[in-house]
């Protein structure tokens, strides 16, 4: 992946994160039911807000590397929370979410590596 493709990939992540983060922040009960997450509206609101904080940097940041790295780190933290929910409550939704976040983080890592090459390696 070249540098321009990596920037487009980061923008795509931002475009996907915007509606997801907004939905989670604004309607956590509805999202929780739809995703079979159980009753955790406060945690979901925090996740939605954290997603939305990253959107401006992913979409329009002069440097996208730190925003993508933060996105990947947030994915790992959310996946860990989902794994905890899956173990403690046995809901299927968090298991699926944790798996999806692992795959998303792997894709994000590819973008991060390309951005690192294109942005000179410094954060």
């Amino acid at each position: 992946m070249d540098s321009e493709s990596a920037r487009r990939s980061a923008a795509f992540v931002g475009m996907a994160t915007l509606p997801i983060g907004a939905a989670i922040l604004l309607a956590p009960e509805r999202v929780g039911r739809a995703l079979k997450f159980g009753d955790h509206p406060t945690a979901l609101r925090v996740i939605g807000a954290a997603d939305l904080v990253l959107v401006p940097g992913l979409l329009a940041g002069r440097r996208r590397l730190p925003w993508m790295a933060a996105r990947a780190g947030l994915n790992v933290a959310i996946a860990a929370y989902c794994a905890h929910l899956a173990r403690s409550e046995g809901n299927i939704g968090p298991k699926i979410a944790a798996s999806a976040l692992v795959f998303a983080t792997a894709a994000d890592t590819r973008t991060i590596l390309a951005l690192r090459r294109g942005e000179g390696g410094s954060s």
Side-chain angles (χ1 to χ4, degrees):
M1 176 183 302
D2 64 31
S3 179
E4 188 53 37
S5 295
R7 288 181 61 78
R8 282 193 307 272
S9 178
F12 176 80
V13 169
M15 287 186 289
T17 299
L18 178 60
I20 293 167
I24 295 170
L25 178 66
L26 299 174
E29 294 89 356
R30 181 188 247 170
V31 171
R33 279 192 307 276
L35 296 179
K36 301 190 183 320
F37 251 69
D39 187 27
H40 303 282
T42 301
L44 289 173
R45 275 192 183 98
V46 169
I47 291 168
D51 276 348
L52 292 176
V53 165
L54 299 175
V55 169
L58 291 167
L59 290 176
R62 194 172 76 96
R63 296 188 62 244
R64 309 276 169 97
L65 176 59
W67 299 100
M68 281 301 297
R71 171 78 256 170
L74 182 59
N75 284 349
V76 170
I78 296 169
Y81 175 69
C82 290
H84 165 74
L85 284 181
R87 281 191 306 273
S88 66
E89 298 179 7
N91 295 334
I92 189 71
K95 289 178 187 178
I96 294 168
S99 297
L101 286 164
V102 167
F103 286 108
T105 303
D108 289 351
T109 299
R110 181 173 180 242
T111 300
I112 289 166
L113 293 173
L115 287 169
R116 181 172 285 154
R117 285 189 301 273
E119 294 182 1
S122 62
S123 337

